[in-house]
Amino acid sequence: MTFKPALIAVDAGSTDPGPYYLGTGEPLAPRIAVERELEQLLTAVVAEGIPLVVGSCGGSGRNDQVAWTVEIVRDLAHEHGWHFRMATIEAEIPIETVLAALPILEGYDAGPATHMGKILECGAFCADPFGMDVILGTLDEQGFTLEPGSLGRRCTVATVAGHSLYERENPYIQAGPGGYVDMTGTQFIQVDERRVRVTGTRFMREEPYRVKLEGVRPSGYRTVSVAGVRCPTMIERIEPILADVRKRMNAYFAGCEAFNLLFHLYGKDAVMGPLGRKINCLPHELGLVTEVIAPTQELAHGICHITTGTLLHYSYEGQKNNAGNLAFLHSPSEIDAGPTYVFSLYHLMEVGNSRALFPMHLEEV
Amino acid sequence: MSVKTLRELAQIVRSKNAKPFRLTFDVVFSDPLTYERVKAAKVLTREKIAELYGVTVDEIISVHEFDPGLAIKFTLRRRIPQGHPGDSDIYGCQQHAPLLDVQVPWT
């Protein structure tokens, strides 16, 4: 707070953890962590009399996650005897827009403001060494200057410019609500050891106004089973064995609703799945995650149980051990993981009146 | 002619989701000289990326040489979108490994 910032802004959301949180409305972070961080942030902004902006509350910014966060804020305010005006905006809205919103409202150029917002949303990720703590952005008429909050970090031209690469396809052009940020003419200057100045970023407005729309849909229920394989006779034949078990399961459950049976072979090609080139070497141990996604939890559980049971007592040529093929990690050996979701929508939508999509509520706390 | 790997030459080699339907890969260097030499060696062309990852050239959305950040960057269409059944890497952050072994002629 020695930097005397004009506002503090944090990003509570991400699509990184997958579609589940937007699908269910379950908060991504545990309540205890959100309480602790909001308490620190509110203590600081209440003392300074500056705004606090929290984007994509609860992980996805769903209305129920916004309400959950608002409830925590009200509780904290009550506990500490704080009074302030709180605005909540319902709908999913990208955080860089939220971070840039106040500066643009105060008349700053949307180019540098939005570019700065895009960098600040990841905190000190644009510093060396990178971290998840704070970064201070100072906006002026021509551009902005970045400085890490922690004295143990520094911003360099490479770390700041390099941030334009992160999690996006095009480092020069980045689409946002109402237009795109053009960084083809952007200049990065090392001001001193810890600060970098950025100028020349332009915001190109587009008509009609478009906003990003994210959507998920339910895709069934999941059951998983975790087991290890140590026997070399099994490891040598694991692929044909799994293929045969899959064939048997398709026959066994032929009359049931469609399901997805997945084997993840950790120690072989589980991590890169369809992308990696196959590497032909035999590990001394394999981790097998059997996963079933089916229209009901009961069916997913049943298929998972029969599949791992078939594999447990599967007999094959060259087998020396007839007591069981899987070292199960747990009892019960199946874990019902609940509903699953998939991203079904992720695009820019044309809107006539952008404000009507994002209703705002004001209250005095 | 001797060679060096990207593991030896680059400061950062990473992969990450670029939204749920794409994977993006960044190879970032710490000094301009190394960056320019790797760039000139053309070790990350569309054809070489396709071979390295076992994908078709059509699945490569873009390849960028980003001079201000001393970085070479490319983006692949995800064969399985993030979190879909069968996805093996929700954050997409462990798909970079083959890049570490890419060899650059170095004399």
Side-chain angles (χ1 to χ4, degrees):
Chain A
M1 294 310 287
T2 51
F3 288 127
K4 297 284 172 205
L7 88 157
I8 295 180
V10 293
D11 178 6
S14 175
T15 57
D16 264 346
Y20 181 81
Y21 302 93
L22 182 55
T24 58
E26 242 174 69
L28 168 64
R31 188 180 173 103
I32 185 168
V34 174
E35 275 173 356
R36 195 163 294 177
E37 293 192 18
L38 280 175
E39 187 171 30
Q40 286 179 343
L41 291 165
L42 285 167
T43 302
V45 298
V46 167
E48 292 292 319
I50 59 173
L52 171 66
V53 180
V54 182
S56 302
C57 290
S60 80
R62 260 176 66 133
N63 292 355
D64 44 9
Q65 292 178 349
V66 174
W68 179 79
T69 308
V70 163
E71 203 47 56
I72 294 174
V73 172
R74 286 198 197 109
D75 288 351
L76 286 169
H78 181 73
E79 191 184 316
H80 290 271
W82 292 326
H83 296 283
F84 45 76
R85 177 177 289 183
M86 173 163 60
T88 55
I89 301 171
E90 291 184 345
E92 237 230 328
I93 176 163
I95 182 63
E96 60 267 23
T97 315
V98 174
L99 294 179
L102 186 62
I104 293 170
L105 200 65
E106 291 190 354
Y108 285 95
D109 188 325
T114 310
H115 188 185
M116 189 175 86
K118 280 179 179 290
I119 293 175
L120 293 185
E121 72 161 313
C122 291
F125 201 80
C126 68
D128 175 37
F130 74 88
M132 301 314 282
D133 52 2
V134 294
I135 198 97
L136 178 79
T138 307
L139 196 61
D140 56 49
E141 299 299 319
Q142 282 81 38
F144 61 93
T145 305
L146 296 169
E147 178 173 6
S150 161
L151 292 173
R153 305 185 199 287
R154 55 194 289 257
C155 283
T156 69
V157 168
T159 61
V160 172
H163 191 269
S164 309
L165 302 162
Y166 191 57
E167 296 180 318
R168 40 191 67 117
E169 182 266 324
N170 191 325
Y172 295 104
I173 303 288
Q174 284 160 23
Y180 61 90
V181 174
D182 180 348
M183 289 183 278
T184 46
T186 300
Q187 302 234 306
F188 302 88
I189 302 146
Q190 193 76 45
V191 179
D192 56 30
E193 212 202 327
R194 302 183 60 249
R195 291 188 297 164
V196 168
R197 180 162 168 71
V198 184
T199 55
T201 303
R202 292 181 303 166
F203 188 81
M204 313 302 277
R205 287 184 203 288
E206 287 181 310
E207 292 292 335
Y209 195 95
R210 295 188 298 173
V211 296
K212 185 175 74 180
L213 191 63
E214 288 177 333
V216 300
R217 64 174 167 77
S219 59
Y221 292 81
R222 175 183 285 126
T223 300
V224 293
S225 173
V226 181
V229 180
R230 190 65 172 73
C231 183
T233 69
M234 173 92 166
I235 290 173
E236 282 163 19
R237 295 167 180 77
I238 190 72
E239 269 110 0
I241 289 172
L242 293 179
D244 189 48
V245 168
R246 176 187 299 284
K247 210 167 82 185
R248 291 191 197 186
M249 291 306 103
N250 285 337
Y252 191 107
F253 294 101
C256 298
E257 290 175 275
F259 61 90
N260 237 311
L261 170 60
L262 300 149
F263 295 115
H264 306 277
L265 264 184
Y266 286 92
K268 277 211 117 172
D269 299 308
V271 176
M272 295 198 59
L275 257 194
R277 290 172 306 169
K278 299 275 177 267
I279 294 168
N280 287 319
C281 69
L282 284 179
H284 71 282
E285 178 173 296
L286 277 176
L288 173 66
V289 176
T290 303
E291 174 182 6
V292 179
I293 298 169
T296 65
Q297 188 73 72
E298 192 183 1
L299 183 61
H301 188 100
I303 296 168
C304 193
H305 184 88
I306 301 293
T307 302
T308 52
T310 303
L311 205 46
L312 178 67
H313 298 300
Y314 188 89
S315 79
Y316 54 90
E317 212 189 315
Q319 192 176 30
K320 301 287 177 188
N321 157 37
N322 59 7
N325 299 316
L326 298 177
F328 283 117
L329 185 61
H330 302 125
S331 169
S333 58
E334 303 82 26
I335 304 163
D336 291 338
T340 61
Y341 296 82
V342 292
F343 283 113
S344 53
L345 200 61
Y346 206 95
H347 78 144
L348 292 170
M349 177 180 68
E350 290 182 10
V351 292
N353 178 359
S354 61
R355 285 183 191 168
L357 282 174
F358 308 119
M360 187 176 82
H361 309 279
L362 271 177
E363 69 176 86
E364 297 293 336
V365 178
Chain B
M1 185 186 282
S2 64
V3 295
K4 282 197 174 188
T5 59
L6 288 182
R7 183 173 177 167
E8 294 171 277
L9 295 171
Q11 185 189 25
I12 293 170
V13 178
R14 70 184 171 207
S15 65
K16 191 74 204 281
N17 295 330
K19 313 307 175 195
F21 301 98
R22 290 170 174 181
L23 274 174
T24 196
F25 298 75
D26 303 332
V27 182
V28 186
F29 299 87
S30 56
D31 72 286
L33 199 69
T34 309
Y35 166 67
E36 290 298 337
R37 285 182 72 178
V38 175
K39 204 168 86 168
K42 302 262 174 241
V43 289
L44 292 176
T45 60
R46 283 178 178 265
E47 291 68 29
K48 290 187 174 159
I49 294 163
E51 191 193 334
L52 189 65
Y53 277 92
V55 299
T56 64
V57 172
D58 294 343
E59 289 174 279
I60 304 169
I61 292 167
S62 64
V63 183
H64 291 284
E65 287 166 346
F66 185 57
D67 294 350
L70 307 179
I72 302 170
K73 172 181 188 64
F74 61 91
T75 301
L76 304 182
R77 188 164 289 119
R78 257 180 174 270
R79 287 191 173 170
I80 302 176
Q82 181 198 13
H84 271 54
D87 178 26
S88 54
D89 188 354
I90 297 290
Y91 288 64
C93 58
Q94 281 292 309
Q95 306 302 307
H96 63 292
L99 285 169
L100 294 169
D101 296 326
V102 166
Q103 296 189 331
V104 185
W106 209 263
T107 46

